[in-house]
Amino acid sequence: MADFLVDVKEGKDFSFPKEEDEIMKFWSDIEAFEQQLKKTEGMPEFSFYDGPPFATGMPHYGHILAGTIKDVVTRYASATGRHVVRRFGWDCHGLPVEYEIDQKLGIKSKDDVMKMGIAAYNEECRSIVTRYAKEWETIVGRMGRWIDFKNDYKTMDPNFMESVWWVFKTLFEKGKVYRGFKVMPYSTTCNTPLSNFEAGLNYKDVSDPAVMVSFPLIDDKDNAAMVAWTTTPWTLPSNVALCVNPTFKYVKLKDPATGKVYIVGESRISQLPGAAATTGKKGKPGNVGFERIGEMLGTELLGKKYVPLFDYYKELEATAFRVCNDLYVTDDSGTGVVHQAPAFGEDDYRCCIAHGIIAKGDPLPCPVDDNGRFLPIVTDFAGQYVKDADKDILVRLKADGRLVNNTSMVHSYPFCWRSDTPLIYKAVPSWFVKVEEMRDQVCANNLKTSWVPAVVKEKRFHNWLANAHDWAVSRSRYWGTPIPIWANPDFTEMKCIGSIAELEALTGEKITDIHRHFIDHLEIPSERGPNFPPLKRVDDVFDCWFESGSMPYAQAHYPFENKEHFEKTFPADFIAEGLDQTRGWFYTLMVLSTALFDKPAFKNLICNGLVLAADGKKMSKRLKNYPDPMEVVNKYGADALRLYLINSPVVRAEPLAFKEAGVFAVVKDVFLPWYNAYRFLVQNAIRYREEHGEVSLASVDLSKVDNVLDRWILAATQTLTREVEEEMEAYRLYNVVPRLLTFIEQLTNIYVRFNRKRLKGAKGPEDTLRALGTLYSVMVTLCKAMAPCTPFFTETMYQNLRRCEPGSEESVHFCPYPKAAAGLKEDVHIQESVKRMQTVIDTGRVLREKHTKPVKVPLKKLVVVHTDDLFLADIAGELKEYVLEELNVRELETCNDVLQYATIKAEPNWANLGKRLGKDMGKVAGAMKALTIEQLKQYEVDQTIEVAGYTMGPDDIKVVREFKLPAGRTLEEVDAGGDGDVLVMLELEQDEALLEIGTAREVVNKFMKMRKAATLIPGQTVEYYIALTGDEAANSALAKVMANQAQYIASALATPLLSMDDIGKGVPLISESHVTSGGQPFTLAFCHPTVFPCLEALSVLAGGDKDMAEGLAVWLASRDPAALAEEAKGVVQVKLNGVDFSLKLGEHFFMSAADKVALQLSNLKL
């Protein structure tokens, strides 16, 4: 026989994780990923960039989410005829690696590194870079993601680093690089500045000093002192100026108790202790406050000199210790006076430069070393860590009479994301890329990209770009790509190197590695001659964000190799990462591609939200507030986790509170129903083949199917593939996955559920084959459509389904994405009718539940009300049997006169109309309410109408139908419901005939449950029996019901229901159950069909010999019915105790008890 489907295990025995392990082995055996790449060679390139993670830690849910999104999109791209190279990348440099080594070796400062030696330090870093690389490969692979680990890229590879040099030199030669000071978040533990992005990663609420300090003005007639407020007393030794807002009013206040005069902002008087007048309590006098003796604008204070707090920077007196004006000063905190320490505040630095307090390029008053300790110039606090020095500084100020107030405050403060120690803001010499002058270009290139969701591009990312500052790309660290600038001591001569070959030519040295310890010693002779000092490399290395932003070029070793291929495939078709990368990788990609080529680095981007713990808090290894990802995979399967993640708010860049129960729900609500539908197909296809011989499910001519649900599911499949393709091409996964899941729900809960009898053969072999062929086609198409999302489960099913199609692809992931099948159409009409049918059924169930009428209780009539005559014809025609069966209703009527059972009204669809109508919304809403019934009916036909000067389309108005109780009826007798489109009216009264039908239905349902409990396979033939065990009246009533409903029961069970009295002697029961229904007790049982001897006829045949007759009966009962039927051909020859007997079928024995009863009934009729 030809190859065919093989049977599959029950859902309860199917382990998704174990089956996925088998698929992993299958993919490995056939080298599936490699084969997919080979099969698509020569097809259009789909360019994809994978952002590099650090391999110093294990993958978490954020990595798994982003990886799943990338895998779905790239699998789809491959299935739609594109060649998709997918290379994994590793971020190897930077603070994360150095921090690990610092912790391991106990390194606390730069001096510790210098003692160890940069070479030894960097090699220690190199040794741990790929510590978890194998674990990453295992976990990423186990999640079903296909990506090339063998041909990966590493940011520490010389080729990668050389391309980074090329990027930087190109910017340098374009005049987009400069050296300057930048006040930046600075980690005193890691001895390096951080980007603002990094500084924003770890804010904590801390308690800091909040102090007011006096600055006596020189030559003031009232001896007044400016009062400034600060939460960083450690910056006061570096004070060189004060700043006030030029537009604010400031006041002189005299303390009557001390005679001291202070100047503060008028709106901040209440913050100066004792300054504001207060009323007394409990009869005690209040505070009279300070005397107001003068006022002035901030502009009048400009240039006034004051007495310095300390004399550490006395040499700056000619320009410093003056009052400045700047609008950055606010009146929402402090005193309206801000002290200026230009080395420790971005606004301070800008303001002091603008007012000539300090000059650009001059040394800054910065008395703090790289470890955050005061330098010897601060003689009173030298060697102290700045935060620890706060208390001593305040003691000194108090002793000097300069401390006006000393309190504390709790506020949010940035901590180093690696060392978890407080950051300070500190001016550091850095190399900058000029981003500010490129803002317009960068924003214009952003407009050329497509983001999902678009709001992240249009709001968050655009705002960040529009306000972007120059980018500090250097770090004072060791393990990274060295900044390729060689300079003389005063930076009057500089050389930027763009390649290894260039450095070799200039130094005469052979170079194999360009990390610091391989090139720091190299010198380049001055172009001005031997009398000038040689050029030496600057100490800094690149910020690792510069490396990841250079990834498109560096992974290809551009422009040294792959030049033509890169330029052909740049920008990338697609990238994806988390929302946090808007100020990280997305930003650096956009800036560098704009600076290099004036184009974006990518065309399409999916930005996902953050995955949080179940309580909505950040996932924490320390708190263990989330389940290990691999434990979840091993429990539920990778497909379930994938589907849970990509069908959640995170694909809209919203947060997801991860719940393990959600993954289980995917298995329960999606995969198990889907699997059971697949198993149902397999079992019934096998049965059909056994009964009817060779069959090809793949060859069924689906263009000739005539069953309404066959036509519907095929049409829905066409719509599905078209809609999914449209949404995938737009990268809208948030529309794709719900659509796929809705289709699976329709397939299992409508098509398979409503067609179970057909698929089992209830309407004859031809109809059954068409139904099986339809279901087979839909299952294959669904496997191909869902393969990018659920690669394992679809592969499992496909490997069985493809047995019916000789020559089919070896893997579902080699199959092209399904297109609309030739000869089939979407048939929008039938899809709409079935959708409305489901509404009718759902509404009927709701009405039954509302009135406590379970489905097992039959009801008389259902009325469907709608104006669409085509739908009413469908619901009263081909769809009728499904409605009657599902709702257990005897009659279905239709009505196209809405007003007979309902009122109708128009409601605006504000989701469509809101933006369009603006201030006219109220006017249009009022006009809609005034539309007549005739107008609304016509609108439903035309799908367009003019309202208040606006043309309304098909989705702009919702025509709502509300039930109107018929005259003379009560809600206990009849009720209705609907969705505003279809109205369903249900008659709730019952008569004796309906009660009889309900009892019969209950008997059938009980037998079905008994079959399931006895683990009978579908289609396995048994004989059903009933025994009436109540009193005479009850038995008589139930017997009447069974007689009246005998035809229905026989049809439902596929065999007549027999009396227990008809069970053959000694026949074992498979199952027996004692039941009570409506107060009437009875017993139900079933057994395997057995040969039924007729003792009376056998006794006559044996000449009245009772023993001989019983012996013949025992012999007959011991025979297999199927074998006996084949042997008998109407007569069986038997020799017993030396006597020959001819036993006749239908006289001396029957093939089953049912046959005997049927003959008896036939004789009675005769």
Side-chain angles (χ1 to χ4, degrees):
M1 295 179 76
D3 207 5
F4 199 67
L5 300 175
V6 295
D7 204 0
V8 295
K9 58 187 72 173
E10 280 194 65
K12 64 183 181 63
D13 299 322
F14 185 88
S15 167
F16 290 94
K18 288 180 180 178
E19 292 296 328
E20 289 179 354
D21 288 337
E22 291 298 314
I23 294 300
M24 287 282 291
K25 184 177 183 302
F26 168 71
W27 286 342
S28 176
D29 290 344
I30 68 168
E31 297 184 327
F33 179 38
E34 293 79 0
Q35 273 208 66
Q36 187 195 64
L37 290 172
K38 287 178 183 176
K39 285 174 176 286
T40 54
E41 279 181 1
M43 294 181 178
E45 291 287 340
F46 182 87
S47 180
F48 161 69
Y49 297 155
D50 195 31
F54 286 104
T56 50
M58 297 287 280
H60 52 65
Y61 284 104
H63 296 119
I64 289 171
L65 166 63
T68 299
I69 291 172
K70 295 169 190 177
D71 192 56
V72 170
V73 172
T74 52
R75 282 182 185 274
Y76 170 81
S78 182
T80 48
R82 288 167 279 190
H83 183 62
V84 191
V85 174
R86 285 152 274 179
R87 293 178 63 199
F88 203 81
W90 301 104
D91 205 342
C92 305
H93 290 145
L95 276 177
V97 180
E98 291 194 15
Y99 180 72
E100 292 284 333
I101 295 303
D102 291 350
Q103 295 294 101
K104 173 185 174 183
L105 302 179
I107 290 173
K108 302 294 184 184
S109 67
K110 182 177 182 178
D111 291 340
D112 293 338
V113 177
M114 293 299 105
K115 288 175 186 175
M116 178 182 182
I118 293 177
Y121 183 85
N122 274 358
E123 291 306 321
E124 282 283 349
C125 289
R126 193 196 301 269
S127 71
I128 70 162
V129 162
T130 56
R131 177 196 296 167
Y132 296 114
K134 291 306 293 182
E135 287 84 351
W136 271 80
E137 186 171 354
T138 298
I139 292 171
V140 169
R142 183 60 188 85
M143 284 302 303
R145 187 179 177 196
W146 283 3
I147 192 163
D148 190 351
F149 278 93
K150 295 176 184 175
N151 187 36
D152 59 4
Y153 71 86
K154 299 181 180 69
T155 60
M156 69 178 181
D157 290 341
N159 283 354
F160 191 99
M161 296 169 70
E162 185 177 29
S163 290
V164 174
W165 276 12
W166 170 83
V167 170
F168 187 73
K169 180 173 182 178
T170 303
L171 301 187
F172 188 88
E173 291 179 339
K174 287 186 174 187
K176 296 185 181 297
V177 173
Y178 70 93
R179 182 177 182 270
F181 284 101
K182 185 80 170 178
V183 176
M184 299 180 68
Y186 186 88
S187 172
T188 56
T189 304
C190 296
N191 308 136
T192 189
L194 305 182
S195 67
N196 287 325
F197 164 70
E198 291 171 303
L201 293 175
N202 189 19
Y203 266 82
K204 296 184 179 183
D205 287 337
V206 297
S207 177
D208 271 331
V211 302
M212 293 184 186
V213 182
S214 67
F215 295 83
L217 294 177
I218 296 174
D219 298 330
D220 183 82
K221 65 182 180 69
D222 298 310
N223 295 319
M226 306 281 289
V227 178
W229 176 83
T230 182
T231 60
T232 55
W234 62 268
T235 62
L236 291 171
S238 309
N239 172 266
V240 292
L242 298 173
C243 189
V244 297
N245 191 305
T247 64
F248 288 177
K249 183 184 287 186
Y250 289 82
V251 294
K252 278 185 178 181
L253 302 171
K254 184 174 183 179
D255 183 350
T258 64
K260 292 182 178 180
V261 178
Y262 300 114
I263 297 177
V264 296
E266 183 182 45
S267 63
R268 305 304 295 170
I269 292 174
S270 62
Q271 301 304 303
L272 186 65
T278 60
T279 55
K281 294 181 179 180
K282 296 182 179 179
K284 295 182 179 180
N287 177 36
V288 295
F290 291 3
E291 180 185 357
R292 186 166 175 157
I293 63 173
E295 62 182 46
M296 69 289 293
L297 288 174
T299 51
E300 298 175 62
L301 292 168
L302 178 64
K304 290 188 179 292
K305 303 203 76 174
Y306 63 86
V307 178
L309 288 173
F310 301 97
D311 60 2
Y312 307 135
Y313 292 102
K314 196 172 183 180
E315 70 275 11
L316 299 178
E317 272 186 330
T319 57
F321 310 117
R322 293 183 298 165
V323 179
C324 306
N325 276 183
D326 200 282
L327 294 172
Y328 93 86
V329 178
T330 65
D331 63 354
D332 58 359
S333 63
T335 63
V337 180
V338 181
H339 106 83
Q340 304 291 287
F344 304 111
E346 187 174 359
D347 285 315
D348 302 35
Y349 178 77
R350 176 185 54 76
C351 186
C352 287
I353 291 287
H355 287 79
I357 306 295
I358 57 174
K360 266 190 178 180
D362 287 353
L364 283 176
C366 181
V368 177
D369 68 13
D370 291 345
N371 297 311
R373 299 181 182 279
F374 280 118
L375 293 167
I377 189 174
V378 183
T379 54
D380 301 290
F381 315 110
Q384 288 191 47
Y385 178 64
V386 292
K387 286 280 190 179
D388 295 339
D390 279 346
K391 290 182 180 178
D392 291 342
I393 291 170
L394 295 177
V395 169
R396 166 69 182 273
L397 293 175
K398 185 175 182 180
D400 291 347
R402 305 289 288 270
L403 187 64
V404 177
N405 189 39
N406 182 9
T407 60
S408 63
M409 67 175 291
V410 175
H411 64 149
S412 186
Y413 192 85
F415 276 61
C416 176
W417 66 292
R418 281 296 166 183
S419 63
D420 206 33
T421 54
L423 299 175
I424 64 172
Y425 283 81
K426 182 173 182 283
V428 293
S430 293
W431 294 94
F432 291 85
V433 171
K434 295 178 181 178
V435 177
E436 292 173 20
E437 68 178 29
M438 295 191 294
R439 283 175 182 166
D440 291 344
Q441 293 166 275
V442 174
C443 288
N445 282 327
N446 182 43
L447 294 176
K448 299 173 185 176
T449 63
S450 175
W451 289 49
V452 175
V455 68
V456 180
K457 164 192 164 181
E458 295 161 0
K459 300 293 185 181
R460 184 182 179 123
F461 193 60
H462 172 79
N463 293 342
W464 181 252
L465 296 179
N467 296 285
H469 297 294
D470 288 352
W471 176 18
V473 297
S474 58
R475 294 289 181 266
S476 302
R477 297 302 299 175
Y478 318 99
W479 178 242
T481 299
I483 298 242
I485 290 180
W486 271 254
N488 64 355
D490 62 1
F491 288 91
T492 56
E493 184 179 0
M494 290 188 290
K495 192 79 174 177
C496 187
I497 306 301
S499 70
I500 292 174
E502 183 182 359
L503 185 58
E504 288 178 337
L506 290 170
T507 62
E509 298 280 347
K510 181 67 180 174
I511 299 168
T512 57
D513 192 315
I514 54 176
H515 283 96
R516 282 192 62 174
H517 53 299
F518 289 94
I519 64 169
D520 275 4
H521 65 286
L522 298 178
E523 296 180 348
I524 298 175
S526 171
E527 292 181 349
R528 294 180 292 178
N531 295 327
F532 291 88
L535 310 186
K536 297 183 178 181
R537 199 192 70 80
V538 299
D539 286 342
D540 295 338
V541 298
F542 282 110
D543 171 15
C544 58
W545 289 109
F546 189 88
E547 292 180 319
S548 60
S550 302
M551 165 264 164
Y553 331 105
Q555 69 160 347
H557 196 210
Y558 179 83
F560 309 102
E561 296 180 78
N562 308 303
K563 192 172 189 296
E564 184 180 348
H565 182 268
F566 168 79
E567 291 173 358
K568 182 182 175 183
T569 58
F570 180 83
D573 289 293
F574 167 66
I575 66 170
E577 292 295 342
L579 187 63
D580 52 341
Q581 295 301 324
T582 49
R583 297 180 180 183
W585 191 47
F586 302 156
Y587 173 72
T588 61
L589 284 174
M590 186 66 76
V591 167
L592 291 182
S593 66
T594 298
L596 292 170
F597 303 111
D598 193 20
K599 60 173 67 174
F602 53 86
K603 299 173 186 174
N604 299 285
L605 182 153
I606 295 179
C607 182
N608 62 263
L610 302 180
V611 183
L612 307 174
D615 58 4
K617 295 179 181 177
K618 187 177 179 180
M619 288 187 171
S620 166
K621 289 182 182 178
R622 180 176 58 84
L623 297 175
K624 296 181 179 178
N625 61 349
Y626 64 94
D628 180 86
M630 285 303 98
E631 288 181 7
V632 173
V633 169
N634 292 332
K635 192 183 293 185
Y636 306 108
D639 276 346
L641 179 55
R642 286 171 64 111
L643 207 54
Y644 171 71
L645 291 173
I646 61 174
N647 191 41
S648 72
V650 284
V651 292
R652 294 178 179 270
E654 298 170 11
L656 166 68
F658 183 91
K659 294 181 173 64
E660 186 177 336
V663 185
F664 170 69
V666 171
V667 175
K668 177 174 64 72
D669 299 333
V670 179
F671 285 107
L672 280 175
W674 188 7
Y675 177 80
N676 287 332
Y678 157 70
R679 179 170 178 262
F680 190 73
L681 165 67
V682 171
Q683 288 181 320
N684 285 287
I686 291 172
R687 181 184 306 109
Y688 186 93
R689 189 187 194 217
E690 290 172 349
E691 293 175 357
H692 302 287
E694 284 298 318
V695 60
S696 175
L697 296 181
S699 301
V700 175
D701 187 353
L702 301 180
S703 65
K704 295 182 178 178
V705 297
D706 53 6
N707 176 272
V708 62
L709 288 189
D710 289 350
R711 300 198 323 270
W712 164 72
I713 198 65
L714 291 171
T717 305
Q718 305 303 301
T719 301
L720 173 77
T721 55
R722 176 183 57 78
E723 290 180 349
V724 169
E725 186 170 8
E726 288 173 358
E727 295 300 315
M728 282 299 298
E729 291 297 331
Y731 298 87
R732 292 188 288 260
L733 264 64
Y734 55 79
N735 286 339
V736 170
V737 180
R739 184 69 190 89
L740 288 165
L741 298 186
T742 297
F743 182 83
I744 292 172
E745 194 271 338
Q746 290 173 333
L747 176 67
T748 57
N749 285 345
I750 299 179
Y751 185 78
V752 174
R753 176 186 172 94
F754 292 2
N755 274 323
R756 294 184 73 85
K757 293 178 181 177
R758 285 185 63 224
L759 289 160
K760 289 181 178 181
K763 294 188 176 181
E766 288 187 11
D767 179 75
T768 303
L769 182 58
R770 284 195 292 269
L772 289 170
T774 297
L775 183 53
Y776 173 83
S777 171
V778 171
M779 278 292 183
V780 172
T781 301
L782 184 57
C783 279
K784 294 174 183 177
M786 282 292 289
C789 299
T790 55
F792 292 104
F793 186 49
T794 52
E795 187 75 275
T796 295
M797 291 186 291
Y798 177 79
Q799 288 307 313
N800 196 16
L801 295 172
R802 68 180 286 257
R803 297 166 67 89
C804 295
E805 294 188 66
S808 57
E809 290 286 0
E810 190 175 9
S811 165
V812 72
H813 302 291
F814 302 163
C815 297
Y817 194 81
K819 297 283 187 181
L824 298 180
K825 57 182 181 178
E826 288 193 28
D827 197 341
V828 176
H829 163 70
I830 196 61
Q831 292 185 69
E832 182 64 24
S833 286
V834 172
K835 179 182 175 183
R836 287 170 171 166
M837 177 193 73
Q838 191 61 32
T839 299
V840 170
I841 292 171
D842 291 341
T843 303
R845 288 171 180 159
V846 169
L847 292 172
R848 277 182 167 279
E849 186 173 346
K850 176 181 175 181
H851 293 276
T852 322
K853 301 284 186 183
V855 175
K856 67 181 181 180
V857 176
L859 296 177
K860 184 178 181 180
K861 187 169 71 175
L862 178 99
V863 180
V864 179
V865 184
H866 203 278
T867 56
D868 185 345
D869 288 331
L870 289 176
F871 162 61
L872 294 181
D874 289 335
I875 203 76
E878 295 176 298
L879 297 174
K880 179 177 180 179
E881 63 174 296
Y882 303 111
V883 177
L884 297 180
E885 176 72 19
E886 283 297 305
L887 292 179
N888 194 13
V889 175
R890 297 303 98 198
E891 299 174 29
L892 185 150
E893 290 183 5
T894 61
C895 175
N896 66 358
D897 181 5
V898 177
L899 299 181
Q900 185 174 340
Y901 294 105
T903 59
I904 64 172
K905 64 179 181 178
E907 289 184 355
N909 183 353
W910 292 126
N912 280 9
L913 297 174
K915 289 184 180 179
R916 181 175 145 204
L917 299 181
K919 62 182 182 181
D920 287 342
M921 285 193 297
K923 179 177 73 172
V924 172
M928 276 192 192
K929 289 180 182 178
L931 291 174
T932 66
I933 293 170
E934 288 71 23
Q935 286 176 309
L936 290 175
K937 285 183 176 180
Q938 194 60 44
Y939 167 73
E940 289 190 308
V941 174
D942 299 340
Q943 295 290 286
T944 183
I945 192 172
E946 290 289 323
V947 179
Y950 287 90
T951 300
M952 299 293 151
D955 296 320
D956 294 335
I957 302 176
K958 187 171 183 179
V959 180
V960 179
R961 294 162 174 78
E962 294 180 347
F963 177 52
K964 180 175 69 178
L965 191 67
R969 306 297 295 274
T970 67
L971 282 175
E972 285 71 34
E973 297 170 337
V974 60
D975 200 358
D979 62 350
D981 176 39
V982 181
L983 183 70
V984 178
M985 190 182 76
L986 188 63
E987 299 239 356
L988 302 168
E989 294 177 294
Q990 288 182 284
D991 56 23
E992 186 176 341
L994 290 175
L995 292 173
E996 282 189 0
I997 295 169
T999 302
R1001 188 182 178 104
E1002 190 173 352
V1003 167
V1004 170
N1005 289 341
K1006 180 61 181 174
F1007 272 128
M1008 294 302 104
K1009 291 177 181 177
M1010 291 168 65
R1011 282 184 65 99
K1012 187 173 182 179
T1015 65
L1016 297 186
I1017 64 172
Q1020 185 174 345
T1021 304
V1022 294
E1023 293 187 331
Y1024 300 95
Y1025 296 94
I1026 185 170
L1028 310 182
T1029 57
D1031 57 31
E1032 185 176 348
N1035 288 349
S1036 175
L1038 188 55
K1040 178 184 175 185
V1041 172
M1042 293 299 102
N1044 291 341
Q1045 299 299 320
Q1047 186 175 351
Y1048 160 74
I1049 294 172
S1051 174
L1053 298 177
T1055 185
L1057 176 61
L1058 308 175
S1059 168
M1060 285 279 204
D1061 296 335
D1062 294 321
I1063 296 179
K1065 186 177 181 182
V1067 175
L1069 299 178
I1070 300 174
S1071 178
E1072 184 177 16
S1073 178
H1074 303 290
V1075 183
T1076 299
S1077 175
Q1080 298 175 331
F1082 52 93
T1083 299
L1084 302 178
F1086 57 80
C1087 63
H1088 293 295
T1090 56
V1091 177
F1092 193 92
C1094 184
L1095 279 173
E1096 293 180 4
L1098 290 174
S1099 180
V1100 172
L1101 182 64
D1105 187 334
K1106 186 178 180 182
D1107 292 337
M1108 184 68 77
E1110 289 186 352
L1112 289 170
V1114 169
W1115 182 86
L1116 284 167
S1118 68
R1119 299 301 305 277
D1120 175 64
L1124 186 61
E1126 182 68 25
E1127 176 187 336
K1129 303 297 183 186
V1131 178
V1132 179
Q1133 301 297 328
V1134 181
K1135 189 172 219 176
L1136 187 63
N1137 297 334
V1139 181
D1140 292 319
F1141 295 96
S1142 294
L1143 307 182
K1144 296 180 182 178
L1145 178 63
E1147 180 181 350
H1148 302 113
F1149 69 97
F1150 299 89
M1151 298 310 298
S1152 68
D1155 287 350
K1156 177 197 171 189
V1157 172
L1159 181 63
Q1160 289 173 340
L1161 290 173
S1162 176
N1163 290 337
L1164 284 174
K1165 289 177 183 177
L1166 291 173

